[in-house]
Amino acid sequence: MTGRFEFMHQSSHFDRPTAPADDWGEANAAHLAAPARFAAAPASVSDEDVALVRASLTVVAPHVSELAAHFYSILFSRYPQVRDLFPAELDVQRERLVRALLRIVELVDDPDNLVAFCSRLGRGHRKFGTQSGHYPAVGECLLQALSHFAGPAWHPALATAWQRAYTAAADVMVRAAEEDARNRPAVWDAHIVGHVHRGHGIAEITVQPHQPYPFVAGQYVSIETPWVPRQWRQYSPANAPRPNSELTFHVRAVREGKVSNALVHHARPGDPVRLGPPEGDMVLRPTRQRDLLFVAGGTGLAPIRALIEEVAQGGIGDAREVSLFIGARTADELYGLDDMLRMSQRYHWLRVRAAVSDERIPGLEGTLPEVLAEFGPWYRHEAYLCGPPQMLSGAVHALRRHGVPPRHIHYDPWDTPVLTAPLGPPPPDEEDDQL
């Protein structure tokens, strides 16, 4: 139970014009509807339970970091066989445990969104080897940790309330995982078939899964490497699905990023990796009449490139205006711009513009939000965004200020998406329904 209730990990094995029913619309609409298959009503949690749980959380809130550490100490003491299934360093895991716990408490009286969130957690846990029998053990240790830090505020009614809340979440996770297991593997073994350095600490890495790997352009994939076992990191394929299931990733080596540095500086063709199932909701929507706006920063260009490639393959751009904005701090950091400019030469409908925030370059100077405002309006566009958190936040606010309804702005959060992703579409905007 860490970033995605990641309390149990699996051991490493490394030793155009569109027709009324066009394929891209059907495929992506099916993806967006898929989580509903796992929906199930959570166990009953009363209003009194909710009030007790939330009140107790204010008591333990000043000690959440210590609570997470104490939880793992209890778990490994009572169930020592699980310790070797975790990464050696647990700092990130502890922080994610707290975030997951807070999100569940936030949603405990919101059954629909609790199901959506916990279903994602349950499906994501499969790659760690989580079994349904692990959940009671985690609940036992979690309640023990909570009681320790709640001190005199802990009482039998509160313990019962937390038990019901945890059971509600765990039941949904178990059901989602069991349903998911009937439809796809937990992990895909793969090996690297291409590794090219692109400068500025970025490598273009192509992997070949050993069995078909179904995904939708715009999604992201968890990767585990043999150099840092049991640590999974998310990267987005920079390509639309290929017949041979090859996936190309753009990976930037970040400071103290063990997985990214291993992939950029140590990986070579032939090296094995493992892939988790595809995740994410930033896929093309089957909206017939709206033009398309794509916004990318850094290696966030990867999923945007995949989406544009899908637009080209489906002939969608022949009847749409398609605009791409790429942002960076300096001209040297305009990663992938030349590639996208070449793509715009092949496809007359693609317009590419760049923005540089920290360097004075005529025609390019400005932040992405500033440049977006200059070239709008965008209220008739479907917008897809990917990039660093600050860029993402600024671009979203800029689009909102200029009239783009929230339900037409699509992105997956940069950091641990399953913990912070929007759980459902915002309510329809009455004016937008008239567009």
PDB file of all heavy atoms in Angstrom, residues 72-85:
ATOM      1  N   TYR A  72       5.002   0.449   7.753  1.00  0.00           N
ATOM      2  CA  TYR A  72       5.890  -0.515   7.106  1.00  0.00           C
ATOM      3  C   TYR A  72       6.685  -1.311   8.138  1.00  0.00           C
ATOM      4  O   TYR A  72       6.967  -2.497   7.929  1.00  0.00           O
ATOM      5  CB  TYR A  72       6.820   0.198   6.126  1.00  0.00           C
ATOM      6  CG  TYR A  72       6.130   0.556   4.837  1.00  0.00           C
ATOM      7  CD1 TYR A  72       5.833   1.882   4.534  1.00  0.00           C
ATOM      8  CD2 TYR A  72       5.736  -0.426   3.939  1.00  0.00           C
ATOM      9  CE1 TYR A  72       5.176   2.218   3.363  1.00  0.00           C
ATOM     10  CE2 TYR A  72       5.086  -0.105   2.773  1.00  0.00           C
ATOM     11  CZ  TYR A  72       4.809   1.221   2.484  1.00  0.00           C
ATOM     12  OH  TYR A  72       4.145   1.541   1.331  1.00  0.00           O
ATOM     13  N   SER A  73       7.035  -0.669   9.225  1.00  0.00           N
ATOM     14  CA  SER A  73       7.753  -1.391  10.278  1.00  0.00           C
ATOM     15  C   SER A  73       6.887  -2.524  10.825  1.00  0.00           C
ATOM     16  O   SER A  73       7.369  -3.654  11.018  1.00  0.00           O
ATOM     17  CB  SER A  73       8.134  -0.421  11.396  1.00  0.00           C
ATOM     18  OG  SER A  73       8.736  -1.108  12.478  1.00  0.00           O
ATOM     19  N   ILE A  74       5.610  -2.241  11.074  1.00  0.00           N
ATOM     20  CA  ILE A  74       4.702  -3.279  11.572  1.00  0.00           C
ATOM     21  C   ILE A  74       4.507  -4.368  10.529  1.00  0.00           C
ATOM     22  O   ILE A  74       4.557  -5.568  10.831  1.00  0.00           O
ATOM     23  CB  ILE A  74       3.342  -2.657  11.948  1.00  0.00           C
ATOM     24  CG1 ILE A  74       3.499  -1.648  13.082  1.00  0.00           C
ATOM     25  CG2 ILE A  74       2.354  -3.741  12.354  1.00  0.00           C
ATOM     26  CD1 ILE A  74       2.238  -0.842  13.348  1.00  0.00           C
ATOM     27  N   LEU A  75       4.296  -3.947   9.279  1.00  0.00           N
ATOM     28  CA  LEU A  75       4.045  -4.913   8.202  1.00  0.00           C
ATOM     29  C   LEU A  75       5.218  -5.883   8.059  1.00  0.00           C
ATOM     30  O   LEU A  75       5.029  -7.100   7.983  1.00  0.00           O
ATOM     31  CB  LEU A  75       3.800  -4.170   6.888  1.00  0.00           C
ATOM     32  CG  LEU A  75       3.515  -5.042   5.660  1.00  0.00           C
ATOM     33  CD1 LEU A  75       2.194  -5.791   5.815  1.00  0.00           C
ATOM     34  CD2 LEU A  75       3.508  -4.196   4.387  1.00  0.00           C
ATOM     35  N   PHE A  76       6.436  -5.348   8.042  1.00  0.00           N
ATOM     36  CA  PHE A  76       7.604  -6.207   7.833  1.00  0.00           C
ATOM     37  C   PHE A  76       7.915  -7.037   9.073  1.00  0.00           C
ATOM     38  O   PHE A  76       8.508  -8.113   8.971  1.00  0.00           O
ATOM     39  CB  PHE A  76       8.810  -5.364   7.444  1.00  0.00           C
ATOM     40  CG  PHE A  76       8.627  -4.606   6.152  1.00  0.00           C
ATOM     41  CD1 PHE A  76       9.288  -3.403   5.945  1.00  0.00           C
ATOM     42  CD2 PHE A  76       7.794  -5.089   5.148  1.00  0.00           C
ATOM     43  CE1 PHE A  76       9.124  -2.697   4.753  1.00  0.00           C
ATOM     44  CE2 PHE A  76       7.630  -4.394   3.965  1.00  0.00           C
ATOM     45  CZ  PHE A  76       8.298  -3.194   3.769  1.00  0.00           C
ATOM     46  N   SER A  77       7.529  -6.532  10.245  1.00  0.00           N
ATOM     47  CA  SER A  77       7.745  -7.296  11.469  1.00  0.00           C
ATOM     48  C   SER A  77       6.782  -8.480  11.540  1.00  0.00           C
ATOM     49  O   SER A  77       7.184  -9.595  11.886  1.00  0.00           O
ATOM     50  CB  SER A  77       7.569  -6.390  12.687  1.00  0.00           C
ATOM     51  OG  SER A  77       7.643  -7.133  13.887  1.00  0.00           O
ATOM     52  N   ARG A  78       5.533  -8.246  11.208  1.00  0.00           N
ATOM     53  CA  ARG A  78       4.531  -9.307  11.300  1.00  0.00           C
ATOM     54  C   ARG A  78       4.559 -10.236  10.091  1.00  0.00           C
ATOM     55  O   ARG A  78       4.206 -11.410  10.197  1.00  0.00           O
ATOM     56  CB  ARG A  78       3.137  -8.691  11.448  1.00  0.00           C
ATOM     57  CG  ARG A  78       2.960  -7.905  12.739  1.00  0.00           C
ATOM     58  CD  ARG A  78       1.533  -7.392  12.895  1.00  0.00           C
ATOM     59  NE  ARG A  78       1.393  -6.600  14.116  1.00  0.00           N
ATOM     60  CZ  ARG A  78       0.271  -6.032  14.509  1.00  0.00           C
ATOM     61  NH1 ARG A  78      -0.831  -6.161  13.777  1.00  0.00           N
ATOM     62  NH2 ARG A  78       0.230  -5.321  15.628  1.00  0.00           N
ATOM     63  N   TYR A  79       4.966  -9.698   8.948  1.00  0.00           N
ATOM     64  CA  TYR A  79       4.979 -10.489   7.707  1.00  0.00           C
ATOM     65  C   TYR A  79       6.344 -10.314   7.025  1.00  0.00           C
ATOM     66  O   TYR A  79       6.454  -9.703   5.965  1.00  0.00           O
ATOM     67  CB  TYR A  79       3.837 -10.053   6.777  1.00  0.00           C
ATOM     68  CG  TYR A  79       2.485 -10.138   7.439  1.00  0.00           C
ATOM     69  CD1 TYR A  79       1.919  -9.016   8.050  1.00  0.00           C
ATOM     70  CD2 TYR A  79       1.792 -11.347   7.483  1.00  0.00           C
ATOM     71  CE1 TYR A  79       0.687  -9.101   8.692  1.00  0.00           C
ATOM     72  CE2 TYR A  79       0.561 -11.430   8.114  1.00  0.00           C
ATOM     73  CZ  TYR A  79       0.021 -10.310   8.710  1.00  0.00           C
ATOM     74  OH  TYR A  79      -1.208 -10.397   9.346  1.00  0.00           O
ATOM     75  N   PRO A  80       7.421 -10.819   7.643  1.00  0.00           N
ATOM     76  CA  PRO A  80       8.776 -10.564   7.129  1.00  0.00           C
ATOM     77  C   PRO A  80       9.001 -11.098   5.725  1.00  0.00           C
ATOM     78  O   PRO A  80       9.903 -10.624   5.024  1.00  0.00           O
ATOM     79  CB  PRO A  80       9.675 -11.276   8.156  1.00  0.00           C
ATOM     80  CG  PRO A  80       8.780 -12.276   8.837  1.00  0.00           C
ATOM     81  CD  PRO A  80       7.424 -11.670   8.852  1.00  0.00           C
ATOM     82  N   GLN A  81       8.175 -12.044   5.310  1.00  0.00           N
ATOM     83  CA  GLN A  81       8.375 -12.617   3.978  1.00  0.00           C
ATOM     84  C   GLN A  81       8.129 -11.604   2.866  1.00  0.00           C
ATOM     85  O   GLN A  81       8.575 -11.814   1.731  1.00  0.00           O
ATOM     86  CB  GLN A  81       7.471 -13.846   3.792  1.00  0.00           C
ATOM     87  CG  GLN A  81       5.975 -13.556   3.752  1.00  0.00           C
ATOM     88  CD  GLN A  81       5.343 -13.531   5.134  1.00  0.00           C
ATOM     89  OE1 GLN A  81       6.036 -13.350   6.146  1.00  0.00           O
ATOM     90  NE2 GLN A  81       4.037 -13.736   5.193  1.00  0.00           N
ATOM     91  N   VAL A  82       7.463 -10.496   3.159  1.00  0.00           N
ATOM     92  CA  VAL A  82       7.167  -9.541   2.100  1.00  0.00           C
ATOM     93  C   VAL A  82       8.268  -8.506   1.916  1.00  0.00           C
ATOM     94  O   VAL A  82       8.270  -7.788   0.913  1.00  0.00           O
ATOM     95  CB  VAL A  82       5.824  -8.806   2.353  1.00  0.00           C
ATOM     96  CG1 VAL A  82       4.696  -9.800   2.599  1.00  0.00           C
ATOM     97  CG2 VAL A  82       5.939  -7.810   3.495  1.00  0.00           C
ATOM     98  N   ARG A  83       9.204  -8.401   2.852  1.00  0.00           N
ATOM     99  CA  ARG A  83      10.187  -7.318   2.775  1.00  0.00           C
ATOM    100  C   ARG A  83      11.009  -7.367   1.504  1.00  0.00           C
ATOM    101  O   ARG A  83      11.307  -6.327   0.890  1.00  0.00           O
ATOM    102  CB  ARG A  83      11.125  -7.347   4.001  1.00  0.00           C
ATOM    103  CG  ARG A  83      12.150  -6.197   3.999  1.00  0.00           C
ATOM    104  CD  ARG A  83      11.445  -4.860   4.005  1.00  0.00           C
ATOM    105  NE  ARG A  83      12.330  -3.706   3.896  1.00  0.00           N
ATOM    106  CZ  ARG A  83      12.649  -3.132   2.752  1.00  0.00           C
ATOM    107  NH1 ARG A  83      12.207  -3.648   1.589  1.00  0.00           N
ATOM    108  NH2 ARG A  83      13.399  -2.049   2.729  1.00  0.00           N
ATOM    109  N   ASP A  84      11.394  -8.540   1.060  1.00  0.00           N
ATOM    110  CA  ASP A  84      12.236  -8.653  -0.126  1.00  0.00           C
ATOM    111  C   ASP A  84      11.497  -8.304  -1.411  1.00  0.00           C
ATOM    112  O   ASP A  84      12.108  -8.205  -2.475  1.00  0.00           O
ATOM    113  CB  ASP A  84      12.812 -10.068  -0.241  1.00  0.00           C
ATOM    114  CG  ASP A  84      13.856 -10.350   0.825  1.00  0.00           C
ATOM    115  OD1 ASP A  84      14.380  -9.369   1.390  1.00  0.00           O
ATOM    116  OD2 ASP A  84      14.132 -11.525   1.083  1.00  0.00           O
ATOM    117  N   LEU A  85      10.188  -8.130  -1.324  1.00  0.00           N
ATOM    118  CA  LEU A  85       9.412  -7.779  -2.508  1.00  0.00           C
ATOM    119  C   LEU A  85       9.327  -6.278  -2.722  1.00  0.00           C
ATOM    120  O   LEU A  85       8.744  -5.823  -3.701  1.00  0.00           O
ATOM    121  CB  LEU A  85       7.991  -8.364  -2.398  1.00  0.00           C
ATOM    122  CG  LEU A  85       7.922  -9.876  -2.167  1.00  0.00           C
ATOM    123  CD1 LEU A  85       6.482 -10.332  -2.098  1.00  0.00           C
ATOM    124  CD2 LEU A  85       8.678 -10.620  -3.258  1.00  0.00           C
TER     125      LEU A  85
END
